[in-house]
Amino acid sequence: MNIIGAYPTFYVPYLGSAWVMGIIGVIHVVASHTSVGASFLFAILETKAYRDNQPELLDFIKRYGLFLLVFSYVIGSITGPGIWYAITVASPRGVSGLIHNFVWVWATEWVYFTVEVIGVYALVYLIGKVDPLTHLKLTWSFALSSWATMLLIVGILSFMMWPGNEAWYETGSTNDAFYNLNFFAHLGIRTGSMFVMAVVVGFVVASGVKDTALKTSVIRMLAPIGIVGGFFAVMMFLYYLQTLPTNALVMLRSHLLPRYADGMILVFVVTTLYLSIGWARPQLIRPTIAAALLLFLATIGVWPEERMRESMRKPFVVGQYIYGNQIIARDAPGKGVVAEVDAIAEKGLLSLHPFVPERLRTINSDNRFEVGELLAKIACSNCHALEPGAPCAVCPTSSTARPTKT
């Protein structure tokens, strides 16, 4: 091997590419989970409105739907391409590995997403303009399409953790990749979480309803769904822990749980208490309280959850065969992928990386600090920022590592 298939290194000073992806990803997760969960809330509420002749529930669905169009679909439409851009420049080989495994899964997800987007517009703007049964069928179609997008994406995200067995490395099969060991546990966590998120946002919308009877009725219907969704997500998280690879468990126990466990427990307790109060005393749910709880859930709940999921994969970025720094960790004969670690150990990264300037391929007394900084960025910057005081700045920086002249 004379050269590895690496790309130029994408580096964001003082922040790091990991935080760029994390910030965009958390915003997108809040918006997308709310959308999927809300689609089922709409279907449940509309079924009740249709069955029990409660047309006033349709007013709330339209109000929530308009809020959803802005909150989820505008924000989601901005952050979705943002995620694609960020992950493509930060982890080009990781994205390439996923596309070579899941191109038709992604294509299918986009078909469902198209149906979902059309569905939410049709749902909102056709209320009262088509017969109730037709609109109910439309709403359930919207809900099932929304959940299908989540199911397909979860299969891809779960594979990023690991395939869970040796079969995929030998076959390269999409089925072996998609139905990986932690797929169902991961899907369960996100399904439970989407209901919690959608109910919390639903409380924000309901808190502004002037009709007291409608507000009380809606909050009392939504609260139990959120509580059950929260308990289901916790149970699936405990199951999820049993499906993780050894490196993820080591990272979880040594670094992540000591840092985030208290916050996660606090989020569960506060959210469950909040939803229980909403069920018992709906009139206490005010817009400011509802908005504050949503912000609390997004920052103390979603951010650590996404941070943990991303960090547990390390040092790998995809399927335990591509490292975070884009180097191929092991052979995957089913995909014709060959490991690069032995070649780098033999010839050196400076020799094999295609984007190292010629003047830096040989270390001398004049360039050794510049070479060290370049190697740190190539090898470490996918996870770490290198400046002092930056998030995840656990690597020695060029400035702090250089000896002081005397």
Side-chain angles (χ1 to χ4, degrees):
M1 182 179 293
N2 296 319
I3 198 167
I4 60 174
Y7 291 79
T9 299
F10 173 70
Y11 182 65
V12 181
Y14 302 101
L15 192 60
S17 58
W19 271 66
V20 172
M21 292 186 287
I23 292 170
I24 299 172
V26 167
I27 297 171
H28 187 76
V29 165
V30 172
S32 62
H33 280 49
T34 300
S35 171
V36 180
S39 70
F40 277 90
L41 297 186
F42 294 168
I44 293 169
L45 290 173
E46 188 166 341
T47 300
K48 183 173 177 58
Y50 178 76
R51 186 187 60 198
D52 299 341
N53 191 26
Q54 291 184 278
E56 66 275 12
L57 292 177
L58 298 178
D59 296 334
F60 174 76
I61 292 174
K62 186 168 186 177
R63 186 186 183 101
Y64 194 168
L66 288 170
F67 181 84
L68 196 69
L69 283 175
V70 177
F71 180 77
S72 287
Y73 286 89
V74 173
I75 294 176
S77 297
I78 295 171
T79 54
I83 290 176
W84 270 105
Y85 177 79
I87 64 174
T88 300
V89 296
S91 299
R93 297 187 93 182
V95 173
S96 173
L98 293 177
I99 290 176
H100 280 82
N101 274 291
F102 299 109
V103 64
W104 291 112
V105 176
W106 249 315
T108 306
E109 189 263 339
W110 289 343
V111 170
Y112 279 113
F113 178 66
T114 302
V115 174
E116 178 189 0
V117 173
I118 295 172
V120 69
Y121 276 92
L123 182 151
V124 171
Y125 290 104
L126 291 182
I127 287 181
K129 297 178 181 176
V130 297
D131 68 271
L133 184 57
T134 299
H135 195 273
L136 182 60
K137 291 177 181 176
L138 175 66
T139 303
W140 275 105
S141 299
F142 166 55
L144 293 175
S145 298
S146 297
W147 191 70
T149 63
M150 173 181 282
L151 182 149
L152 294 168
I153 289 298
V154 165
I156 299 171
L157 293 177
S158 300
F159 173 77
M160 291 176 72
M161 179 66 73
W162 72 324
N165 55 59
E166 291 296 310
W168 175 80
Y169 298 107
E170 298 299 326
T171 66
S173 162
T174 300
N175 281 338
D176 288 335
F178 188 84
Y179 295 107
N180 52 79
L181 186 60
N182 63 9
F183 167 69
F184 290 105
H186 193 177
L187 180 63
I189 294 172
R190 289 187 179 268
T191 299
S193 300
M194 78 183 192
F195 281 116
V196 176
M197 189 63 66
V199 169
V200 170
V201 175
F203 274 26
V204 175
V205 179
S207 64
V209 173
K210 303 297 182 185
D211 184 336
T212 305
L214 177 60
K215 173 182 173 180
T216 300
S217 172
V218 167
I219 290 178
R220 280 194 166 147
M221 278 190 281
L222 296 185
I225 297 174
I227 294 171
V228 172
F231 276 100
F232 182 70
V234 170
M235 287 189 294
M236 295 308 289
F237 177 72
L238 297 177
Y239 170 36
Y240 180 74
L241 295 179
Q242 309 306 312
T243 67
L244 295 175
T246 302
N247 61 296
L249 293 173
V250 169
M251 177 68 82
L252 193 70
R253 291 166 180 161
S254 63
H255 176 63
L256 297 173
L257 283 181
R259 189 169 186 176
Y260 296 118
D262 291 344
M264 295 178 68
I265 294 171
L266 179 66
V267 166
F268 175 73
V269 171
V270 170
T271 305
T272 302
L273 184 62
Y274 169 70
L275 296 178
S276 300
I277 292 173
W279 179 80
R281 302 286 296 276
Q283 66 275 17
L284 295 181
I285 303 301
R286 307 293 174 81
T288 50
I289 296 174
L293 202 288
L294 174 60
L295 184 61
F296 169 76
L297 183 62
T299 53
I300 310 299
V302 178
W303 170 260
E305 186 274 330
E306 287 298 302
R307 171 77 193 284
M308 289 174 63
R309 186 178 60 79
E310 290 290 328
S311 298
M312 281 191 294
R313 283 203 306 268
K314 306 304 179 188
F316 304 99
V317 70
V318 168
Q320 296 210 315
Y321 78 103
I322 302 177
Y323 284 126
N325 55 19
Q326 310 300 292
I327 292 170
I328 303 298
R330 59 166 292 177
D331 294 339
K335 287 294 182 185
V337 174
V338 178
E340 298 168 337
V341 176
D342 289 343
I344 292 173
E346 177 186 352
K347 299 180 180 179
L349 191 57
L350 291 176
S351 172
L352 295 178
H353 197 290
F355 291 97
V356 172
E358 287 302 323
R359 63 184 178 81
L360 300 181
R361 290 193 186 278
T362 302
I363 304 173
N364 55 52
S365 58
D366 294 329
N367 69 10
R368 60 194 180 108
F369 290 119
E370 190 177 0
V371 171
E373 183 174 350
L374 177 63
L375 284 174
K377 286 181 177 176
I378 292 174
C380 309
S381 66
N382 190 262
C383 304
H384 304 286
L386 306 182
E387 288 75 18
C392 300
V394 296
C395 297
T397 65
S398 58
S399 59
T400 56
R402 291 179 184 182
T404 304
K405 293 181 179 179
T406 57

